[in-house]
Amino acid sequence: MKALTIFTATYNRGYCLHQLYESLVRQTHSSFIWMVIDDGSTDNTSSLVQSWIKENKIEILYIHQENKGMNGAHNTAYANIRTSWNVSIDSDDYMPNNAVELILKSIPNLDSKFAGIVGLDSDFKGNVIGTKFPKNIIQSTLSDLYHKHGVKGDKKIVYRTEVIQKYAPYPIIEGEKFIPPGYLYRLIDQDYVLKPINEIFVIVNYQKDGFTKNLFSLYRNNPRGFALHRILKINLSTNMKERFKNMVHLISCSLFAKDINYLKQTKSPFLIVSAFPFGLLLNGYIRLKQK
């Protein structure tokens, strides 16, 4: 039985998916499965993956589904993972040659309070995205890493499969196809901690059609999904600065969704009133940027 599933949700990324495949072939440890969730691609993704399966250099599980968006693809992955550990690697990213080895060395004998480990992202020149973890932090929730310990930049989480499968799948919202991944991570934060590892697990290669460079478009086209994420953050946070920031975003999302009932779910009338002018300004700014 392999120890780790590396899963990749992909949609029409045949032009760049090969770099991830090639990095997995180069791994110094082979105890992993690559699960490819093809979210309704219309390009050559299927034929590419089938050709790699025939090469038989690594174990590949290919699942094709109708287009459901990133969250629907992640739901499919979590429902089908059978290994003890899993990590999501985007279709435009790839892994250092020793990434699987580093991961597998870091997970044995982890106490049950740990949902998993969290490592670093880097650019293709080896520069860490954001900051490394403070050396004195041996355990933390993901939220506390950013809001209490000053960590910055994208990071890569390796979760216990039994933990992540305890939680409900991402909500599927009619007419929308995206909820920030942090929605699920924040739910897990309530019950578990992560072990920070100052090693690079993934090399990121931001594409023009990727999440990072299309954030405003995703925000405007999926306001209900973003609103659910902001409500969760407001209701779970004890940090007033964080709650205020998320209320500003929730107000903006509610305006895009044309539904103020999302605000009522926070039960924070004073926070709504104080943040409303800023939420209105944010909403106008995003509309201006999207023209």
Side-chain angles (χ1 to χ4, degrees):
M1 185 67 179
K2 300 292 178 69
L4 175 70
T5 294
I6 299 165
F7 73 89
T8 301
T10 186
Y11 175 72
N12 287 347
R13 285 288 183 83
Y15 66 91
C16 66
L17 194 59
H18 65 91
Q19 65 183 355
L20 174 53
Y21 168 68
E22 291 162 3
S23 77
L24 297 180
V25 171
R26 294 193 299 266
Q27 290 302 304
T28 56
H29 202 301
S30 61
S31 186
F32 68 90
I33 297 169
W34 186 30
M35 178 187 290
V36 180
I37 308 297
D38 185 346
D39 193 41
S41 296
T42 56
D43 64 356
N44 64 334
T45 295
S46 178
S47 59
L48 268 177
V49 177
Q50 294 298 338
S51 70
W52 296 333
I53 291 173
K54 289 179 181 178
E55 289 180 1
N56 199 31
K57 293 181 178 179
I58 58 173
E59 184 174 351
I60 301 174
L61 175 60
Y62 176 69
I63 301 175
H64 184 276
Q65 65 181 28
E66 65 180 36
N67 184 258
K68 298 179 181 178
M70 190 188 78
N71 305 115
H74 280 228
N75 286 346
T76 298
Y78 293 137
N80 286 277
I81 292 169
R82 298 294 178 264
T83 59
S84 298
W85 300 86
N86 69 86
V87 60
S88 170
I89 304 294
D90 292 343
S91 54
D92 53 352
D93 298 339
Y94 56 102
M95 302 184 81
N97 296 351
N98 65 339
V100 171
E101 184 176 355
L102 289 171
I103 289 169
L104 295 181
K105 282 183 177 179
S106 301
I107 56 180
N109 303 317
L110 270 187
D111 189 275
S112 59
K113 67 182 176 182
F114 288 95
I117 62 175
V118 54
L120 305 173
D121 287 10
S122 82
D123 63 21
F124 65 94
K125 293 182 179 179
N127 300 310
V128 172
I129 303 298
T131 61
K132 290 186 175 183
F133 305 114
K135 292 181 179 180
N136 63 321
I137 304 299
I138 59 173
Q139 66 179 54
S140 174
T141 63
L142 185 65
S143 178
D144 282 351
L145 282 174
Y146 289 109
H147 299 295
K148 288 187 178 180
H149 304 305
V151 172
K152 300 182 185 302
D154 292 337
K155 301 293 179 271
K156 185 54 61 180
I157 308 172
V158 181
Y159 276 119
R160 291 183 196 269
T161 302
E162 66 177 356
V163 167
I164 210 161
Q165 289 179 341
K166 287 180 180 179
Y167 295 83
Y170 286 105
I172 301 301
I173 301 170
E174 186 176 354
E176 296 190 12
K177 292 185 177 179
F178 186 81
I179 298 174
Y183 176 88
L184 180 57
Y185 304 161
R186 194 58 180 265
L187 288 174
I188 296 172
D189 269 1
Q190 297 178 88
D191 305 311
Y192 295 91
V193 293
L194 296 167
K195 179 180 179 180
I197 306 292
N198 272 314
E199 298 283 0
I200 296 169
F201 290 170
V202 64
I203 299 168
V204 299
N205 185 18
Y206 299 119
Q207 298 290 320
K208 291 181 179 179
D209 60 347
F211 165 74
T212 302
K213 293 191 176 181
N214 290 277
L215 183 57
F216 284 151
S217 177
L218 284 169
Y219 191 110
R220 186 165 185 175
N221 293 330
N222 302 275
R224 293 173 178 83
F226 275 84
L228 290 178
H229 187 214
R230 298 297 177 176
I231 291 168
L232 188 69
K233 284 188 168 185
I234 292 167
N235 290 340
L236 294 182
S237 177
T238 57
N239 183 296
M240 183 52 66
K241 182 178 179 181
E242 183 188 3
R243 296 184 78 235
F244 183 85
K245 174 184 174 182
N246 282 291
M247 181 59 78
V248 170
H249 281 277
L250 178 58
I251 290 165
S252 177
C253 292
S254 299
L255 292 171
F256 279 126
K258 298 179 181 178
D259 189 348
I260 62 169
N261 287 318
Y262 287 112
L263 301 179
K264 297 177 182 178
Q265 294 181 41
T266 65
K267 298 180 181 179
S268 303
F270 176 76
L271 192 60
I272 294 170
V273 171
S274 59
F276 195 86
F278 300 95
L280 191 63
L281 285 171
L282 176 61
N283 184 271
Y285 174 74
I286 293 172
R287 290 179 188 273
L288 184 64
K289 293 290 287 185
Q290 281 289 288
K291 280 188 176 181

